[in-house]
């Protein structure tokens, strides 16, 4: 149950508008909450209640009340009291007492949560006015079972009966147009146009208006279904008719095909007899041919016997000759191998001679080359000696070499000095770069922390995040400074203290943009809210800055209680943000304490006189009662911080950026110095190279003489060695000639031996050739004999094959004759054992068989009938059919071709055609019924639409007239109209509210996002006031709708409420508010109910209004005598 966590336990009774002076002697302190009805007005005519108005409300152990009874007036009832006294508890009692759902209140979803804490049962009793006798509805609530027990006029009943009784009085606690609790105020603007129309119909329309609307929606839905059904059936019927028209021709074609198939059947019945006779004749011819071929085979076999004997004899001669040829071949092979060996030896001798000749040629070439090199060396020595003579005439170069050496040493010293400076500069550059990298890393860490805050904003409030991105890209559109959402601009000095700021500043303001100029804010909201449809908040900082405003009490005075800082000192923020927070949330006046503060909280509350206090884990709100001057405090636990835990030290980040700029400046100076040193070093390097080149040239000139002398000496030594290395060519030639002669003698002996072996080999070849010729003669004779034998055998095989084929044909024809006979008997209905009559075996078979089969056909065949009345022609008589296979086959082919032309036909065509005819008749009848039903629904829609739409338009026009007048009186504009996109879509009708609060803007539809909270509250209140005089509901409840309004609008709205709700014949009105402006107009017809909360309240049984009035009169009479 939603109650403050820490609250002074005092009762909260109700009192009437005119408060009486209290008599301390008559008041008794009570530990329970008590109540008393408001004081009745002076005697006058009874004020009429509307049927269903609330006469009395009784609460027992309900939310903040122990027991309380409220007696409202028949017109405007103003319920006033401080927050937490129990005003909204009366609203909850009305809702639950009239069978409303607990979830509708937005507080809890179980009815047990509405019973006062610590109590097991609670009770709500509502007395409703009825001319036939008041209706008393009692609801007892059991916390343990979370159940309700219902009573009507003190008799037990069910919730369903209570709901029926309440509905009969047109009470709709679930309708926001009639019952608007505190937690549902914002949902009114979220109602869609369709939902608003439905709520308005139920609230102020005639009882039958909403019923007509529901009937129209149902009729329209059924009309759509019937239209669809008729359309589908019409299309289906047309398709069926078209298909049957197509199938009518198919049926005729089907019977035409049937006539051809019947003729084919007759031809196929006659054909086996013709085939049988043809095959029988063919069988006799094949049998005679087979006997002739059998005699030819016998004669051929007898003629092959002598040839076989001669072939065997020639085969024996061939084997003897081939054995002798193989012996000669072996001898030839042995002689050839010996010849090959002699030839190999001769070839090796030739190779030895060739090697000796090649060695002699190599030595001759070496001697010629040595003589050429000696000549070249002598020429080179002569040239070097001439060059040496020329070099000896040069001057002394040593003084020049010494001078260049001194210059070179000086340049190298300067170069070393320059390189040292370069090394120093590089070290300085590396140091600066490391320092720059470190500073940049610190800045990146700060940026990452800022990105974390932006990520949290994007995840929780995507619209606000998108608006931030838009602002960063469009700052040039604004004249003054615009601060991003407060949660991004606030920087906690210590993230541990973030919970205090987040618990103190509402989330709506934490994500609000802060502007210094009203015009800038309107430009921003028009672009972001109107164009981009983003839900964002925006506030304006005070013109005079409050950022540096001093607290009323110095922190040193509060340190004794454990306070260590004010909220303002816990964080940094831009001046407009800080000024706004100081102005609206007094962060410079709210101190933050520690656990020590919580331990001394009672003393702090009594002595410090602070309105808000923060301890380590709790927030305390301290108020002083205007009636008893008692201090009332409430405390809540602090929620964990979610957004401000990320701390970014902006001052340190700024110092780091300045440090980074200084480092970059130094790096630039070092780079410039390095470039100058590199140029100087390059110049010295060039000069060093020039001096080294000059010195090198002088040294080369000085050493050239020594090099020439060394080369001459080396060449002379080489020449001496070459002259000593001589060779005697004549001796070498003589030795080579002697060796060649010896080898030639050996070669001649080998040639003689090879000649003898070749003669032997030739003789053996001649003998082998003679034997081969003899063998060839024998083979030729054998081949001739075998050829003759093969020819005879081939003729024999052909004849035998012909015999086999004829025999197989005879057997096949015999089997075919039997099959054709059986088939023909079957066709003619002859038994298998019955013999064929003699006349069927001659040519007369055809005429007799045709006559017999024709009679059989005419007796059994039936001619089918086509549904359209046409019949097929009778088949051709059996006797008139052809008597040869060719004629039969030709006629069969012709008839089959004709039958094959009728493709896509099947026996079910006629059946389907008939079924479709029946289905067409059935669908036609159904379509007539559907169209009649559709016309009936359209007639009903026309009648109901006229009874619903015309009164509805008049009703909306009346609402618009009053709504527009209310807005005009506030120098604003507003209108209400009936909105629909299609006049026939009755479920899309809705009421559209359009308002504008500034002359520079256009009328905008009332939505949860476009208007501000105060603008939505004003629009909601004025719409409800427009319904008031038209309302047929017995009462209306509006809870704290004026909280978001500015004082001007609140005063205007209050005046309208009083003037409208206090008229004659208007329904009862409950207006709940925690505070009112001063000098407001009041009416005698309104009732003001004050809800008190304090420690000196009377118990309910001690409340006696008449006694109070008598005491008041007595005090009044005694005052003059004193």
């Amino acid at each position: 149950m939603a109650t403050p966590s820490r609250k002074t336990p005092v009762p909260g009774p109700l009192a009437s508008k005119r408060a009486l002076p209290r008599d301390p002697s008559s008041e008794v302190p009570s530990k329970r909450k008590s109540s008393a009805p408001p004081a009745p007005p002076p005697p006058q005519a009874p004020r009429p209640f509307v049927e269903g108005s609330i006469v009395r409300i009784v609460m027992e152990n309900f939310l903040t009340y122990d027991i309380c009874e409220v007696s409202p007036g028949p017109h405007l009832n103003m319920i006033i009291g401080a927050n937490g006294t129990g005003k909204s508890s009366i609203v909850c009692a009305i809702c639950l007492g009239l069978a409303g759902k607990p979830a509708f209140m937005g507080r809890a979803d179980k009815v047990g949560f509405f019973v006062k804490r610590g109590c097991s049962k609670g009770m709500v009793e509502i007395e409703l006015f009825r001319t036939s006798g008041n209706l008393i509805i009692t609801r007892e609530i059991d916390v343990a079972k979370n159940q309700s027990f219902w009573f009507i006029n003190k008799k037990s009943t069910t919730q369903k009966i209570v709901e029926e009784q309440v509905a009969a009085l047109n009470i709709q606690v679930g309708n926001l147009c009639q019952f608007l609790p505190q937690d549902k105020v914002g949902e009114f603007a979220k109602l869609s146009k369709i939902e608003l129309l439905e709520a308005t119909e139920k609230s102020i329309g005639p009882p039958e208006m909403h019923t007509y609307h529901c009937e129209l929606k149902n009729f329209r839905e059924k009309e759509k279904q019937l239209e669809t059904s008729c359309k589908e059936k019409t299309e289906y019927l047309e398709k069926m008719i078209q298909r049957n028209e197509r199938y009518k021709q198919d049926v005729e074609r089907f019977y035409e095909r049937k006539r051809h198939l019947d003729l084919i059947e007759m031809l196929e019945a006659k054909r086996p007899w013709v085939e049988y006779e043809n095959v029988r004749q063919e069988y006799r011819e094949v049998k005679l041919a087979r006997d002739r071929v059998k005699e030819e085979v016998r004669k051929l076999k007898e003629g092959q016997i002598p040839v076989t004997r001669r072939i065997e004899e020639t085969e024996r001669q061939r084997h003897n000759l081939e054995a002798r040829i193989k012996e000669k071949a072996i001898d030839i092979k042995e002689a050839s191998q010996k010849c090959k060996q002699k030839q190999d030896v001769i070839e090796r001798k030739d190779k030895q001679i060739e090697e000796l000749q090649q060695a002699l040629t190599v030595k001759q070439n070496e001697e010629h080359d040595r003589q050429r090199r000696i000549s070249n060396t002598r020429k080179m020595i002569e040239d070097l000696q001439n060059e040496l003579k020329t070099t000896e005439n040069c001057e002394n170069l040593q003084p020049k070499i010494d001078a260049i050496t001194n210059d070179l040493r000086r340049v190298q010293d300067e170069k070393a000095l320059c390189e040292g400076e370069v090394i120093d500069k590089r070290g300085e550059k590396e140091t600066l770069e490391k320092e720059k990298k470190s500073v940049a890393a610190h800045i990146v860490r700060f940026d990452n922390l800022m990105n974390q805050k932006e990520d949290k904003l994007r995840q929780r409030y995507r619209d606000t995040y998108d608006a931030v991105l838009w602002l960063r890209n469009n700052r040039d559109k604004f004249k003054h400074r615009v601060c991003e959402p407060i949660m991004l601009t606030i920087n906690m000095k210590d993230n541990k203290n973030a919970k205090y700021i987040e618990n103190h500043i509402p989330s709506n303001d934490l994500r609000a943009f802060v502007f210094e100029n009203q015009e800038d804010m309107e430009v921003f909201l028009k672009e972001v809210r109107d164009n981009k449809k983003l839900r964002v908040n925006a506030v304006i900082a005070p013109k005079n800055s409050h950022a540096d405003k001093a607290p009323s009490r110095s922190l040193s005075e509060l340190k004794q209680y454990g306070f260590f800082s004010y909220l303002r000192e816990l964080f940094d923020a831009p001046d407009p943000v800080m000024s706004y927070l100081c102005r609206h949330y007094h962060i410079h006046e709210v101190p933050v304490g520690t656990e020590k503060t919580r331990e001394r909280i009672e003393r702090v509350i009594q002595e410090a006189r602070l309105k808000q206090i923060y301890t380590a884990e709790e927030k305390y709100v301290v108020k002083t009662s205007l009636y008893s001057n008692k201090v009332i405090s409430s405390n809540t636990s602090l929620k964990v911080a979610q957004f401000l835990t990320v701390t970014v030290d902006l001052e340190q980040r700024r110092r780091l950026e300045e440090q980074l700029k200084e480092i970059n400046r130094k790096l630039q100076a070092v780079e410039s110095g390095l470039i100058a040193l590199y140029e100087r070093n390059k110049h010295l390097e060039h000069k060093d190279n020039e001096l080294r080149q000059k010195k090198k040239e002088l040294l080369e000139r000085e050493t050239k003489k020594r090099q020439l002398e060394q080369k001459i000496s080396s060449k002379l030594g080489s020449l001496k060695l070459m002259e000593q290395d001589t060779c005697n060519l004549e001796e070498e030639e003589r030795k080579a000639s002697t060796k060649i002669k010896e080898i030639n003698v050996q070669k001649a002996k080998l040639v003689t031996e090879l000649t003898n072996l070749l003669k032997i080999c030739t003789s053996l070849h001649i003998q082998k050739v003679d034997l081969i010729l003899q063998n060839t003669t024998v083979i030729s004779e054998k081949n001739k004999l075998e050829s003759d034998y093969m020819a005879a055998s081939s003729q024999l095989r052909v004849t035998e094959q012909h015999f086999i084929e004829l025999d197989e044909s005879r057997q096949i024809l015999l089997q075919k004759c039997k099959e054709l006979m059986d088939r023909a008997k079957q066709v003619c209905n002859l038994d298998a054992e019955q013999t064929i009559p003699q006349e069927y075996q001659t040519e007369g078979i055809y005429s007799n068989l045709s006559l017999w089969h024709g009679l059989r056909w005419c007796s059994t065949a039936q001619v089918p009938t086509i549904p359209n009345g046409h019949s097929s022609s009778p088949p051709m008589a059996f006797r008139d059919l052809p008597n040869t296979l060719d004629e039969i086959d030709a006629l069969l082919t012709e008839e089959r071709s004709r039958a094959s032309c009728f493709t896509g036909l099947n026996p079910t065509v006629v059946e389907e055609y008939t079924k479709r005819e029946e289905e067409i008749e059935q669908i036609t009848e159904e379509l007539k019924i559907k169209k009649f039903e559709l016309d009936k629904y359209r007639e009903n829609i026309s009648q109901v639409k006229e009874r619903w739409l015309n009164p509805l338009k008049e009703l909306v026009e009346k609402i618009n007239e009053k709504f527009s007048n209310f807005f005009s009186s506030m120098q604003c504009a507003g209108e209400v109209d009936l909105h629909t996109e299609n006049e026939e879509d009755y479920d899309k009708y809705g009421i559209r509210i359009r308002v504008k609060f500034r002359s520079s803007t256009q009328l905008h539809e009332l939505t949860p996002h476009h208007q501000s909270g105060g603008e939505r509250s004003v629009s909601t209140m004025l719409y409800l006031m427009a319904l008031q005089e038209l309302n047929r509901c017995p009462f209306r409840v509006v809870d704290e709708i004026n909280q978001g309004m500015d004082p001007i609008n609140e005063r205007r709205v209050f005046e309208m409420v009083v003037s409208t709700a206090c008229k004659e014949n208007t329904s009862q009105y409950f207006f709940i508010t925690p505070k009112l402006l001063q000098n407001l107009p009041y009416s005698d017809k309104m009732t003001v109910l004050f809800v008190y909360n304090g420690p000196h309240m009377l118990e309910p049984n001690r409340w006696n209004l008449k006694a109070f009035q008598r005491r008041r009169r007595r005090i009044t009479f005694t005052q003059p005598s004193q």
Side-chain angles (χ1 to χ4, degrees), residues 499-500 592-598 614-618 638:
K499 58 185 178 181
Y500 301 119
V592 181
T594 60
E595 192 66 26
K596 176 182 175 182
T597 310
R598 191 190 66 80
Y614 283 92
T615 64
E617 298 296 336
E618 293 178 325
L638 297 181

Side-chain angles (χ1 to χ4, degrees), residues 104 172 174-178 184 186-204 210 213-214 217 948 952 956 959 976-979 986-993 1005-1008 1023-1024 1027:
F104 179 71
Q172 305 165 20
N175 189 339
L176 294 181
C177 288
Q178 180 176 344
K184 294 288 183 176
E187 292 189 12
F188 185 88
K190 296 180 183 178
L191 289 176
S192 66
K193 295 186 283 290
I194 299 171
E195 293 171 339
L196 184 59
L197 173 60
E198 184 177 352
T200 304
E201 285 178 341
K202 292 179 180 179
S203 178
I204 67 171
H210 183 64
H213 192 184
C214 294
K217 289 189 282 188
W948 170 73
L952 178 61
V956 173
I959 296 172
V976 177
D977 60 358
L978 187 63
H979 180 266
Y986 303 108
D987 55 343
K988 301 295 177 60
Y989 275 78
I991 287 182
R992 179 174 61 179
I993 301 176
E1005 187 174 344
L1006 182 64
T1007 65
Y1023 184 78
L1024 296 179
L1027 303 183

Side-chain angles (χ1 to χ4, degrees), residues 158-184:
T158 62
Q159 182 175 347
K160 184 177 181 182
I161 295 175
V162 173
E163 290 175 350
E164 291 174 354
Q165 292 283 349
V166 170
L169 294 171
N170 197 32
I171 297 174
Q172 305 165 20
V173 292
N175 189 339
L176 294 181
C177 288
Q178 180 176 344
F179 198 91
L180 193 61
Q182 178 180 355
D183 297 322
K184 294 288 183 176

Side-chain angles (χ1 to χ4, degrees), residues 483-497:
C483 295
E484 293 182 358
I486 294 176
M487 66 172 61
L488 295 181
T489 56
I490 283 180
N491 181 51
M492 299 302 302
K493 296 178 180 179
D494 187 346
N495 56 12
K496 295 180 181 179
N497 297 325

Side-chain angles (χ1 to χ4, degrees), residues 605-623:
I605 292 173
Q606 296 297 329
E607 296 179 3
R609 296 292 180 177
L610 295 169
K611 294 182 179 180
Q612 293 187 66
I613 299 170
Y614 283 92
T615 64
E617 298 296 336
E618 293 178 325
K619 173 183 178 181
Y620 288 83
V621 178
V622 182
K623 296 181 180 179

Side-chain angles (χ1 to χ4, degrees), residues 461-523:
Y461 306 109
R462 183 57 190 241
D463 285 0
T464 305
Y465 178 77
D466 293 340
V468 170
L469 299 181
W470 181 89
L471 175 64
R472 291 176 179 174
N473 296 327
N474 297 275
R475 288 192 178 274
D476 56 335
K477 295 185 178 182
F478 304 102
K479 299 178 181 178
H480 295 80
R481 182 179 181 183
V482 179
C483 295
E484 293 182 358
I486 294 176
M487 66 172 61
L488 295 181
T489 56
I490 283 180
N491 181 51
M492 299 302 302
K493 296 178 180 179
D494 187 346
N495 56 12
K496 295 180 181 179
N497 297 325
K499 58 185 178 181
Y500 301 119
I501 306 303
E502 289 194 21
N503 280 273
H504 191 74
I505 303 173
S507 60
N508 284 340
D509 270 1
L510 279 177
R511 59 190 179 96
F513 293 79
V514 181
F515 292 83
E516 292 183 338
N517 180 268
Q518 177 71 27
E519 185 178 349
D520 284 348
M521 187 174 75
E522 290 181 357
V523 170

Side-chain angles (χ1 to χ4, degrees), residues 740-834:
I740 289 171
K741 288 178 181 180
E742 293 176 354
I743 293 171
N744 284 330
V745 172
Q746 296 174 2
K747 181 179 177 183
K749 184 179 179 180
L750 290 170
V751 168
T752 302
E753 294 175 355
L754 178 61
T755 303
N756 295 332
L757 288 173
L758 288 174
K759 289 179 179 179
I760 295 170
C761 188
T762 302
S763 177
L764 290 173
H765 275 291
I766 292 170
Q767 294 174 10
K768 180 181 177 183
V769 169
D770 185 46
L771 291 173
I772 289 172
L773 290 174
Q774 294 178 19
N775 188 40
T776 302
T777 303
V778 173
I779 291 173
S780 176
E781 185 179 357
K782 179 189 174 187
N783 289 340
K784 184 177 181 303
L785 292 171
E786 287 179 346
S787 177
D788 295 339
Y789 180 81
M790 290 298 294
S793 297
S794 176
Q795 185 179 359
L796 178 61
R797 283 195 300 274
V798 170
T799 307
E800 287 178 342
Q801 181 66 30
H802 189 201
F803 172 77
I804 293 170
E805 290 175 354
L806 289 173
D807 190 57
E808 290 177 352
S809 298
R810 182 189 65 81
Q811 294 177 2
I812 292 170
L813 289 171
L814 179 60
Q815 181 66 27
K816 190 173 182 182
C817 284
K818 292 179 180 179
E819 292 174 355
L820 290 172
M821 176 61 71
D822 294 339
R823 180 180 174 191
K825 285 182 177 181
Q826 185 179 2
V827 170
C828 296
N829 289 332
L830 297 175
D831 296 335
E833 295 82 5
Q834 187 176 355

